Amino acid sequence: MRSMGVAMKRKPSTEVTAAWLRLMRLQSRVLDAVEQDLKKAGFPPLAWYDALLELSRAPSGEMRPVELEKQMLIPQYSTSRLIDRLVDEGLAARRECKIDKRGQFVEITEAGRELQKKMWGAYSAAIEKHVGSKLSDADAVKLCGLLDRLGCSCDEAHALAARDGVAVR
């Protein structure tokens, strides 16, 4: 294993740089395609699903905004606006922390749970269309192994899916 100093001085190979570019372009293209599929199905953006899913997974259906932000891949300024939109639509509610009056929680509502479940149908179809239809299960396992080496644990995806009763291919 290289020391951190050596790793920092080393330049990426042409192959590693090409892999990086493909990974970034693919992420952008697939997310855009999924967003379009959700929009065509009449649903709000993927970030809404992501926030509602994380809130629904929380033990009591609530989280502090900072906890929600950590679970999601959107910046804090977007988290605040997203929470505002979810509250305005009746999909989430804010409530004051009983212990720390300055703190607050965001709690999923029954309407939020229903929307998240409805969105899963369109979202899962988009995942299959843009990823699943292009990879065999064996390819997906190989890809997960490569992504695990980069710090993205597919084991976590399997555990979350099993807990939520969703098949991960």
Side-chain angles (χ1 to χ4, degrees):
M1 187 170 207
R2 296 185 303 267
S3 72
M4 187 63 117
V6 173
M8 296 298 287
K9 291 180 184 178
R10 183 176 169 217
K11 300 263 190 270
S13 67
T14 303
E15 295 80 6
V16 168
T17 302
W20 167 256
L21 290 172
R22 284 188 174 112
L23 188 61
M24 293 299 99
R25 286 182 182 140
L26 179 64
Q27 177 199 21
S28 177
R29 287 180 186 148
V30 170
L31 283 175
D32 287 348
V34 169
E35 288 281 6
Q36 287 304 311
D37 288 354
L38 287 174
K39 188 175 184 178
K40 285 177 192 169
F43 289 114
L46 183 57
W48 289 39
Y49 176 86
D50 194 16
L52 293 171
L53 179 65
E54 294 305 331
L55 289 170
S56 73
R57 287 180 171 164
S60 58
E62 65 182 22
M63 302 173 89
R64 289 184 182 269
V66 69
E67 294 168 341
L68 181 59
E69 177 196 4
K70 285 178 186 173
Q71 293 298 110
M72 299 178 64
L73 297 176
I74 57 174
Q76 174 58 44
Y77 69 88
S78 293
T79 305
S80 298
R81 286 196 304 246
L82 175 60
I83 291 169
D84 289 343
R85 287 188 217 120
L86 294 175
V87 169
D88 290 346
E89 293 294 324
L91 304 171
R94 284 192 180 87
R95 71 168 190 78
E96 191 176 82
C97 177
K98 293 173 185 163
I99 298 167
D100 174 8
K101 299 290 184 193
R102 293 173 298 162
Q104 66 171 258
F105 286 94
V106 179
E107 182 176 30
I108 191 168
T109 63
E110 199 52 45
R113 288 183 193 281
E114 288 175 24
L115 178 62
Q116 183 262 316
K117 288 175 186 169
K118 286 178 186 174
M119 285 182 75
W120 173 244
Y123 185 27
S124 63
I127 292 169
E128 178 58 27
K129 177 181 174 183
H130 300 290
V131 180
S133 68
K134 295 170 176 58
L135 297 175
S136 68
D137 289 349
D139 288 340
V141 168
K142 288 178 195 171
L143 181 58
C144 282
L146 292 170
L147 293 171
D148 285 350
R149 287 173 44 192
L150 296 175
C152 177
S153 175
C154 287
D155 290 338
E156 180 182 282
H158 282 283
L160 291 173
R163 184 182 74 192
D164 293 336
V166 176
V168 175
R169 298 174 18 138

